[in-house]
Amino acid sequence: MDQEQLSRLEYLEQQARLLDIKQDDRKDYTDTVNQNVDKFYSELEESPVFSTWDGNTAKLVEDYTLSEEGCKLDDILEAYKDSALNSGGLSPAHPCHLGYVPGGGVYPAALGDYFTAVTNRYAGVFALAPGVVCLENLLISWVADLIGYPSGHAGNLTSGGTSATLIAIATARDSMPIKPRDYERAVVYVTEVTHNCIAKSMAVLGMRDSITRQIPMKGISTTMDVQQLQLQINKDKKDGLLPFLLVGSLGTGITGSVDPIGEMADVAKEHNVWLHVDAAYGGFFVLVDEIKCLYKGTERSDSIVIDPHKGLFLPYGSGILLVRDGHKLFEANSLTKVDILQDLKEDSHGIFSL
């Protein structure tokens, strides 16, 4: 390395060190944020639960620009509190917020987010953060135990229910298997109140042309009528179609209704249909002993999605996908080793390590 290259590296090092915050500055930043957090809590009850968003407010947001010059933290926080950036919409943390799914969050979980953001461990590859990956797997197994899945399950932590649903349906498609030539004959069974993440996932996976059947619901319970489901599947098979995916809900976002998952599992087994349970909203209410009976049969589903940022009040976004047969999840989502992992070794379980 010649002197010019060395000088260039020294210059780049100096520039990079501008990102290193000194201890005194870190304390000042943290104290400033904590003061704003305390003020947020002290003023919360007097603030509106919901406020409208108008065109004038939107124009104020559009006036913000990104520049090369930095801003003081105090100025940024002040701009957020007193400007259009923090106006309009719902305040989930408000004590009078009762009417919608999002929760207000719990303070210790926010501190957990803060600490993990500071340490910034990458858990996408086992070798790079083995302890963190083991912790993720521990959490996944805990949720699987709540649901009643047997050993051999697998799962994944995601940013929310929609991304978890996408992975679940991709796994279902590859496990059945449903080939592209079959998409126009593949049938998905839902109800009128099934979350739209199912339709979005089907579209993203290139299965928009598949057939969706809205099975009638039973009276005011807004739960799937299993007898009508059975009749529809029998008719579809007679017509040469391919029953593919059956979606049950544990707590719909509209009514909170719970489908008869156990009865649906019987139908799914009889016709070799993948049973997916959307428990994004209601999944963690399985912890409530008084209503645990509503979850009977969930352990027989092929996959399930649950959102900790709903039932556990964790920060957004956090979702969990569980697949009863973990091998199917692995097969549908595994790839050959890429060039950036050329120094890692793979064991018999597909785990890469140094």
Side-chain angles (χ1 to χ4, degrees):
M1 181 179 299
D2 59 30
Q3 186 60 42
E4 181 179 352
Q5 291 173 319
L6 184 59
S7 298
R8 177 62 176 169
L9 286 176
E10 290 175 347
Y11 168 76
L12 292 174
E13 179 185 6
Q14 293 173 2
Q15 294 299 304
R17 286 193 178 278
L18 295 175
L19 298 175
D20 292 335
I21 308 300
K22 295 179 181 179
Q23 183 174 353
D24 289 344
D25 291 333
R26 289 201 306 270
K27 185 177 185 308
D28 288 343
Y29 289 169
T30 306
D31 288 346
T32 299
V33 171
N34 283 336
Q35 290 169 11
N36 281 267
V37 169
D38 291 340
K39 186 177 181 181
F40 166 77
Y41 277 118
S42 67
E43 298 175 350
L44 185 58
E45 291 191 16
E46 303 303 321
S47 64
V49 183
F50 181 86
S51 57
T52 57
W53 170 268
D54 57 41
N56 292 330
T57 308
K59 181 63 172 63
L60 291 174
V61 174
E62 293 172 0
D63 289 339
Y64 281 90
T65 59
L66 300 178
S67 67
E68 294 292 332
E69 300 299 324
C71 297
K72 293 181 179 180
L73 180 59
D74 287 329
D75 294 340
I76 295 173
L77 292 172
E78 199 64 33
Y80 177 75
K81 288 186 301 179
D82 298 331
S83 75
L85 296 177
N86 193 35
S87 65
L90 179 68
S91 177
H94 200 287
C96 293
H97 164 234
L98 301 172
Y100 192 51
V101 174
V106 288
Y107 188 69
L111 296 179
D113 263 8
Y114 162 71
F115 184 74
T116 54
V118 170
T119 57
N120 205 29
R121 298 297 298 273
Y122 175 67
V125 178
F126 180 84
L128 303 184
V132 177
V133 175
C134 288
L135 178 58
E136 287 190 357
N137 291 336
L138 178 67
L139 295 172
I140 290 168
S141 293
W142 173 69
V143 178
D145 288 342
L146 291 179
I147 297 304
Y149 273 6
S151 60
H153 63 264
N156 189 33
L157 302 184
T158 70
S159 60
T162 297
S163 56
T165 299
L166 178 65
I167 301 171
I169 296 180
T171 302
R173 178 197 61 188
D174 293 352
S175 300
M176 295 304 291
I178 298 291
K179 301 298 183 183
R181 62 178 177 271
D182 302 322
Y183 287 178
E184 291 185 356
R185 295 193 300 133
V187 187
V188 180
Y189 302 91
V190 300
T191 69
E192 183 181 340
V193 294
T194 298
H195 195 277
N196 62 11
C197 65
I198 301 298
K200 288 193 290 185
S201 295
M202 294 291 291
V204 170
L205 292 170
M207 302 183 71
R208 190 189 297 270
D209 292 333
S210 297
I211 302 166
T212 298
R213 303 290 195 203
Q214 280 195 4
I215 303 302
M217 297 179 291
K218 299 179 69 172
I220 62 173
S221 68
T222 63
T223 60
M224 183 177 288
D225 188 326
V226 178
Q227 184 176 3
Q228 293 297 318
L229 170 67
Q230 181 74 268
L231 292 174
Q232 185 64 63
I233 292 179
N234 287 334
K235 182 178 185 305
D236 288 341
K237 292 174 72 173
K238 184 178 180 180
D239 292 341
L241 302 178
L242 298 174
F244 157 52
L245 178 68
L246 171 59
V247 181
S249 298
L250 284 178
T252 61
I254 298 176
T255 64
S257 58
V258 176
D259 284 325
I261 304 300
E263 297 177 44
M264 295 169 69
D266 292 336
V267 175
K269 181 179 180 180
E270 177 184 349
H271 296 286
N272 191 31
V273 176
W274 184 282
L275 174 59
H276 173 72
V277 175
D278 179 0
Y281 175 28
F284 281 113
F285 291 112
V286 72
L287 293 166
V288 181
D289 290 337
E290 289 82 355
I291 60 172
K292 193 172 282 189
C293 59
L294 297 176
Y295 295 76
K296 184 178 180 180
T298 306
E299 72 281 356
R300 297 169 57 199
S301 64
D302 294 293
S303 58
I304 186 170
V305 165
I306 307 179
D307 280 356
H309 65 216
K310 292 187 174 74
L312 291 185
F313 302 101
L314 297 188
Y316 295 105
S318 56
I320 296 177
L321 162 69
L322 293 169
V323 176
R324 193 172 190 272
D325 184 343
H327 180 72
K328 293 179 179 178
L329 178 66
F330 179 81
E331 287 296 315
N333 295 276
S334 60
L335 296 172
T336 55
K337 189 167 62 176
V338 295
D339 289 342
I340 60 172
L341 304 177
Q342 72 272 13
D343 295 326
L344 300 183
K345 298 177 182 179
E346 183 179 6
D347 65 16
S348 59
H349 301 290
I351 300 297
F352 291 102
S353 58
L354 291 170

